[in-house]
């Protein structure tokens, strides 16, 4: 039985990766930042190591010893309800890099699978995309064989918008006419597990339906009442507020800058998934 080390196993995608590995009969080792999170993971994995990848002093060679593969879904949450002060650079880049360097020095890893972001190379000035692209580049230059998984957005991301929708505060940025095709996290998890034994170095995958950004906001608002209106916030207003937000809260600024940027460009990945966002929201909201 081969062992897979999973980073970011407590997140929505990470939990799906754990389930997909279990179905394929891998032995799973996962990381957790706290003992409480470790307890949450224990029913789903064979072993939990309490450590914080962003803090290299918490990482020991034992983390990667005996590991055949690594799958990383480690990343800072984009949810506006997430109050952590860390940056995308610290979590998505430095956290993953710390584990990669440890694996290079002390492990015998057959493959490192990393979940990045589709079209990230087109947005080098956005902290979220830059952190993903920077680490993917370092990983691909490593002596460890790698695969980079690039979805445009996960269905679970839209659940984080529900609290705003309940308060009547979920709005469309700009005209909202740019398109994307989010994908179910379970389908991304299955692609991660398949990548362990498949030769493709980059896997781009999206869902079966292309939505405009406004349609996505309307889908979330509509789950809370079909008569709910979706307000539109003009770009000039958002851009006037961003510098102030940056001074007050760097983490919130980086998230806001990401949301603004993705509404300005189409982000449609190859349609690989089969599940529809409408059904997902009906199940969870």
């Amino acid at each position: 039985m081969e062992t897979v080390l999973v980073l970011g196993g407590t997140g929505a995608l990470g939990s799906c990766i754990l389930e997909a590995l279990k179905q394929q009969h891998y032995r799973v080792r996962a990381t957790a930042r706290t003992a409480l999170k470790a307890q949450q993971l224990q029913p789903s994995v064979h072993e939990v190591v309490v450590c914080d990848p962003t803090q290299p002093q918490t990482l020991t060679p034992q983390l990667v010893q005996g590991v055949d593969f690594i799958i990383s879904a480690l990343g800072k949450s984009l949810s506006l309800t997430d109050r952590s002060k860390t940056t995308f650079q610290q979590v998505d880049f430095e956290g993953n890099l710390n584990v990669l360097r440890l694996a290079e020095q002390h492990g015998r890893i057959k493959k490192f699978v990393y979940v990045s972001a589709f079209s990230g190379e087109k947005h080098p000035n956005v902290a979220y995309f830059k952190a993903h692209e920077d680490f993917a580049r370092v990983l691909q230059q490593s002596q460890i064989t790698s695969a980079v998984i690039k979805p445009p957005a996960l269905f679970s991301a839209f659940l984080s918008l529900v609290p705003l929708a309940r308060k009547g505060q979920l709005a469309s940025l700009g005209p909202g006419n740019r398109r994307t095709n989010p994908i179910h996290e379970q389908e991304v998890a299955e692609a991660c597990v398949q990548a362990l034994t498949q030769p493709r170095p980059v896997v781009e995958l999206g869902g079966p339906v292309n939505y405009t950004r406004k349609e996505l906001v309307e889908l979330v608002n509509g789950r809370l009442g079909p008569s709910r209106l979706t307000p539109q916030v003009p770009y000039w207003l958002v851009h006037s507020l961003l510098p102030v937000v940056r001074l007050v809260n760097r983490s919130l600024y980086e998230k806001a800058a990401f949301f603004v940027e993705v509404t300005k460009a189409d982000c449609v990945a190859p349609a690989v998934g089969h599940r529809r966002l409408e059904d997902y929201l009906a199940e969870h909201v």
Side-chain angles (χ1 to χ4, degrees):
M1 184 181 290
E2 294 176 305
T3 297
V4 183
L5 171 63
V6 178
L7 311 177
T10 57
L13 174 58
S15 62
C16 289
I17 291 172
L18 297 179
E19 179 60 30
L21 288 168
K22 182 179 180 181
Q23 292 177 1
Q24 295 298 319
H25 306 293
Y26 285 98
R27 187 179 187 279
V28 180
R29 180 183 298 173
T31 61
R33 286 187 297 107
T34 66
L36 178 60
K37 288 185 178 291
Q39 290 179 359
Q40 297 170 358
L41 283 174
Q42 282 171 349
S44 304
V45 303
H46 296 87
E47 181 184 0
V48 183
V49 178
V50 178
C51 62
D52 184 349
T54 67
Q55 303 296 323
Q57 68 271 19
T58 70
L59 304 177
T60 66
Q62 287 73 26
L63 177 65
V64 296
Q65 290 173 349
V67 169
D68 297 286
F69 303 101
I70 297 176
I71 299 179
S72 177
L74 176 66
K76 178 179 172 61
S77 173
L78 277 166
S79 172
L80 296 176
T81 61
D82 170 48
R83 303 300 183 187
S84 63
K85 299 299 184 182
T86 53
T87 64
F88 292 115
Q89 170 76 9
Q90 292 170 320
V91 181
D92 297 69
F93 179 72
E94 294 176 11
N96 282 293
L97 182 62
N98 289 335
V99 177
L100 174 62
R101 295 306 186 214
L102 191 73
E104 290 173 335
Q105 296 171 18
H106 301 286
R108 295 183 178 179
I109 310 300
K110 297 178 182 178
K111 198 167 195 179
F112 192 127
V113 176
Y114 173 60
V115 182
S116 184
F118 180 74
S119 77
E121 70 281 358
K122 297 179 181 179
H123 309 280
N125 296 320
V126 177
Y128 173 84
F129 288 117
K130 185 179 187 302
H132 282 83
E133 286 296 306
D134 285 351
F135 178 71
R137 190 177 304 110
V138 173
L139 177 61
Q140 290 165 333
Q141 294 170 351
S142 170
Q143 75 244 20
I144 297 176
T145 303
S146 64
V148 179
I149 313 298
K150 305 186 76 171
L154 304 179
F155 285 1
S156 57
F158 298 94
L159 294 182
S160 67
L161 301 179
V162 171
L164 286 176
R166 293 192 192 282
K167 298 175 183 178
Q169 298 174 351
L170 183 58
S172 174
L173 296 179
N177 59 346
R178 296 299 187 175
R179 295 185 173 274
T180 189
N181 58 332
I183 183 171
H184 197 298
E185 52 267 24
Q186 184 62 49
E187 294 176 309
V188 176
E190 291 166 359
C192 289
V193 176
Q194 291 169 4
L196 296 177
T197 54
Q198 291 182 349
R200 294 173 62 189
V202 178
V203 179
E204 298 179 332
L205 69 173
V209 182
N210 296 345
Y211 306 89
T212 66
R213 294 290 175 176
K214 184 177 181 181
E215 287 171 343
L216 289 169
V217 174
E218 289 174 340
L219 278 178
V220 178
N221 278 329
R223 288 304 308 165
L224 301 176
S227 61
R228 281 179 175 254
L229 298 177
T230 296
Q232 180 175 317
V233 178
Y235 282 132
W236 68 262
L237 178 58
V238 177
H239 285 298
S240 67
L241 294 174
L242 280 178
V244 178
V245 175
R246 184 172 188 172
L247 289 174
V248 176
N249 188 324
R250 178 64 179 269
S251 175
L252 180 59
Y253 164 78
E254 289 187 351
K255 293 178 184 181
F258 163 81
F259 287 123
V260 171
E261 184 73 11
V262 296
T263 63
K264 294 181 176 180
D266 290 330
C267 185
V268 180
V272 174
H274 298 91
R275 305 185 189 187
R276 294 168 55 88
L277 180 59
E278 291 90 337
D279 300 327
Y280 181 89
L281 292 174
E283 178 183 353
H284 290 87
V285 181

